[in-house]
Amino acid sequence: MAKTPQVGEQAPDFELPGTDGPFKLSDHRGERVVLLFYPGDNTPVCTKQFCSYRDRADDFASLEATVVGISSQDLASHEEFTAKHGLNVPLLADVDKRVAKAYSAFSPGLGTKRAVIVIDEQGIVRSRHDHLLGLDYQSVDELKSALQDLPIAAPS
């Protein structure tokens, strides 16, 4: 079954509470957005993933994109995870898993799956990487490569 939205399709809009306040995708038109779906706060691979972004904060900041993490834990869990590890990526609480389902990043048996969705300035999905087992993640360099491969948007 094909993952939706597919590359070239409009990204479904959503609004979720987050560690940096509410996040509404459509408020970020004109920006490149990277959605990092992940299984859970304080799990071994997710902790390693988000700490790797923290440890390369300068490289991460140079991505020139709005990057957010999304999982099904509540805001209190995300705030504790962020504080415990000094994370630099805002985390969004998708408690009802509605957004993960809309982006085909959900499995009934597993919950939120690890996936990276890159959205361009017009709200179109330009790249998606779905991790089969969720035991690995995209590095800062891989995120940078995915963003560099996007066409430069004409100013609106």
Side-chain angles (χ1 to χ4, degrees):
M1 183 175 199
K3 301 285 184 186
T4 58
Q6 294 182 21
V7 171
E9 294 180 345
Q10 187 72 41
D13 195 20
F14 64 87
E15 184 170 1
L16 291 172
T19 54
D20 283 1
F23 179 92
K24 184 173 184 178
L25 182 61
S26 57
D27 289 347
H28 295 272
R29 282 287 165 85
E31 304 168 25
R32 293 173 174 191
V33 177
V34 178
L35 306 179
L36 302 170
F37 289 94
Y38 69 101
D41 297 340
N42 291 304
T43 58
V45 177
C46 297
T47 300
K48 186 176 177 185
Q49 174 183 11
F50 285 95
C51 287
S52 77
Y53 302 152
R54 175 205 64 204
D55 293 346
R56 292 191 55 199
D58 290 344
D59 290 330
F60 197 80
S62 74
L63 293 177
E64 296 182 14
T66 298
V67 182
V68 293
I70 303 173
S71 75
S72 62
Q73 287 74 43
D74 63 20
L75 197 51
S77 175
H78 289 340
E79 288 169 344
E80 187 273 330
F81 184 43
T82 297
K84 180 178 180 180
H85 298 286
L87 303 181
N88 59 342
V89 175
L91 303 178
L92 307 182
D94 185 24
V95 177
D96 63 4
K97 304 164 189 71
R98 177 181 48 85
V99 177
K101 290 174 183 175
Y103 281 85
S104 296
F106 177 81
S107 169
L110 301 172
T112 302
K113 299 187 298 185
R114 195 174 316 281
V116 176
I117 313 288
V118 178
I119 301 166
D120 73 7
E121 294 86 344
Q122 288 76 41
I124 304 298
V125 173
R126 292 299 175 194
S127 172
R128 78 173 290 145
H129 182 86
D130 295 277
H131 295 263
L132 250 44
L133 298 175
L135 300 176
D136 62 346
Y137 55 88
Q138 286 196 291
S139 69
V140 172
D141 292 331
E142 289 167 319
L143 293 175
K144 187 179 286 191
S145 177
L147 287 161
Q148 286 173 341
D149 290 345
L150 294 186
I152 302 297
S156 45

